[in-house]
Amino acid sequence: MAEPFLLSDQHFRDINPVDCGWERCEPSHSFGPTARMYWLLHYVVSGSGVFESGGVRHPVRGGQMFVIRPLETTFYQADEHDPWEYIWIGFTTALTLPAPLREQAVVQHSGLGSLFSSVLRLRTMTQGRELFLCGQVYQLLSLLSERQPLENDYVEQAQTYLASNYMQDVSISGLAARLGLNRSYFSTLFHQRTGLSPQQYLLRCRMEHARELLCSHAFTPGEAALAVGYPDIFAFSRMFKRYYGVSPSEALRQNQANKQAHD
């Protein structure tokens, strides 16, 4: 069930609303791939689905907003068992929008729910719809221009995940999607906080744990390789030597020699 709200193009310069509506989607209902000439924001009231942009699929649930930028090819689909209900606003603008809209695929903020719910007032309005929507978009921009207290949480959650799952086949793009972030924005945020890219941080976790297993717990190189997520011992050995300057076998021998010297 869809309910688009009819608007007139007022050609406002700063914020010009061109599309708005509400929809409760059928299971697996999809739209795209397609691109638009304007900004389009979908706030998910309830249910869930997936949003794909830049080749990355993002799970989206109630309380989150997914962002479609001008000329960006996107695809989105309601969940088969818990299809989403959403409210959307589309607009053109001459303004530089807040970073979350420019850089994140999925945005979450506690103030989004009440803001988008107020858009449903258009059902009873016959005049001034466009001006009313301008006000709502300005409120949204103000909301998202506030300092984002969750940015550090994103990095901390990512660090915790990588430090706990380094032995798995970790996808950095998949991790960014789980956080609701654009891959490039996530990598920039992570590097600013840690001085490392997510991939470099993952490598450090793997190599430090591998060395500890070799030197403190007498794991063989093959056992250490498997324990830190390298099913190919040769790939593990090459990476270990590149990281530490010695092979795993040499590191193990050096550690055993040092122990014997102190016995």
Side-chain angles (χ1 to χ4, degrees):
M1 179 188 302
E3 185 180 6
F5 302 124
L6 299 179
L7 303 174
S8 296
D9 189 346
Q10 300 294 321
H11 302 287
F12 298 142
R13 182 178 181 277
D14 288 346
I15 299 291
N16 187 46
V18 295
D19 192 13
C20 185
W22 164 89
E23 184 169 8
R24 181 180 292 120
C25 295
E26 296 293 327
S28 300
H29 171 75
S30 64
F31 198 91
T34 190
R36 296 173 175 81
M37 301 298 291
Y38 52 89
W39 290 82
L40 184 60
L41 312 177
H42 287 72
Y43 175 76
V44 179
V45 178
S46 61
S48 62
V50 294
F51 171 61
E52 183 173 322
S53 66
V56 179
R57 291 173 70 85
H58 304 270
V60 188
R61 62 183 184 276
Q64 296 180 318
M65 177 180 73
F66 59 92
V67 181
I68 299 175
R69 303 173 185 87
L71 302 178
E72 183 176 59
T73 299
T74 59
F75 169 85
Y76 45 100
Q77 183 173 34
D79 186 77
E80 179 182 1
H81 304 291
D82 186 24
W84 50 23
E85 171 190 345
Y86 52 53
I87 301 167
W88 74 84
I89 301 176
F91 59 94
T92 60
T93 181
L95 302 177
T96 298
L97 300 187
L101 294 182
R102 290 184 283 109
E103 300 178 1
Q104 295 177 222
V106 181
V107 176
Q108 184 165 339
H109 194 290
S110 60
L112 291 176
S114 59
L115 193 153
F116 273 86
S117 294
S118 67
V119 170
L120 298 181
R121 288 176 54 190
L122 291 179
R123 287 170 170 163
T124 60
M125 296 178 64
T126 57
Q127 301 290 330
R129 284 182 166 186
E130 297 78 19
L131 288 171
F132 174 77
L133 280 178
C134 281
Q136 299 309 111
V137 174
Y138 274 117
Q139 286 188 54
L140 174 66
L141 301 187
S142 175
L143 196 69
L144 298 181
S145 294
E146 298 172 358
R147 185 176 180 182
Q148 298 296 304
L150 294 178
E151 286 191 347
N152 286 344
D153 290 347
Y154 290 138
V155 176
E156 289 172 3
Q157 289 171 12
Q159 287 179 288
T160 300
Y161 179 84
L162 293 174
S164 302
N165 293 275
Y166 60 85
M167 70 295 295
Q168 306 293 335
D169 183 15
V170 175
S171 165
I172 301 303
S173 293
L175 176 56
R178 290 181 65 179
L179 292 168
L181 301 178
N182 172 274
R183 164 67 188 264
S184 177
Y185 175 68
F186 167 61
S187 295
T188 298
L189 197 65
F190 195 96
H191 190 274
Q192 288 174 345
R193 179 76 181 275
T194 68
L196 300 171
S197 70
Q199 195 66 51
Q200 289 170 331
Y201 187 87
L202 174 61
L203 177 62
R204 187 176 77 177
C205 288
R206 285 174 168 166
M207 293 299 104
E208 288 181 349
H209 280 88
R211 190 178 184 94
E212 180 180 358
L213 292 173
L214 288 166
C215 297
S216 300
H217 302 283
F219 275 44
T220 67
E223 290 170 337
L226 290 174
V228 299
Y230 284 88
D232 183 346
I233 187 174
F234 298 106
F236 166 70
S237 295
R238 286 195 301 271
M239 190 60 69
F240 190 96
K241 186 169 184 178
R242 186 183 305 170
Y243 195 85
Y244 286 114
V246 295
S247 70
S249 298
E250 291 169 338
L252 183 57
R253 283 196 297 271
Q254 289 175 4
N255 183 67
Q256 290 172 341
N258 288 336
K259 283 185 177 180
Q260 291 173 358
H262 288 88
D263 286 344

